[in-house]
Amino acid sequence: MGLLDSLKAKLGPAKDKVADLAQQHGDKIDQGLDKAAKAVDEKTKGKYSGKIQSGTGKAKEAIDRIGNKGDGGTRGDGTPPPPPPAA
């Protein structure tokens, strides 16, 4: 067994736990991302608003993908994930 195989075997349970947490708390994570994005945007006085919005949207999509893995494309509460933000 190679190094990468043993690493994957050890990280498997952690990956499942992260997916469960993302599914259970996806809405709280989204709110935290929005709050952090707003704080950064205010500190930079709007100079990087587009990049901040883009990064926040990508982070939310990643959380949705992690939390929805294997459940037919719905969030933990049974609703479909939100559409990606307009670019």
Side-chain angles (χ1 to χ4, degrees):
M1 183 183 262
L3 176 66
L4 289 177
D5 292 332
S6 65
L7 186 60
K8 285 180 184 179
K10 290 179 181 178
L11 291 178
K15 184 178 175 185
D16 293 338
K17 178 125 176 125
V18 169
D20 289 341
L21 290 171
Q23 187 174 22
Q24 292 173 1
H25 303 290
D27 56 338
K28 291 180 184 177
I29 295 169
D30 285 351
Q31 290 173 357
L33 287 169
D34 288 335
K35 187 175 180 181
K38 182 179 177 185
V40 171
D41 196 32
E42 287 174 358
K43 289 287 185 181
T44 60
K45 297 181 175 118
K47 184 175 181 180
Y48 302 103
S49 291
K51 292 181 187 239
I52 292 168
Q53 288 177 355
S54 174
T56 303
K58 289 178 183 180
K60 287 181 179 183
E61 289 173 14
I63 294 297
D64 284 341
R65 277 195 312 271
I66 292 168
N68 294 332
K69 194 168 191 172
D71 73 352
T74 59
R75 297 185 90 168
D77 60 1
T79 60

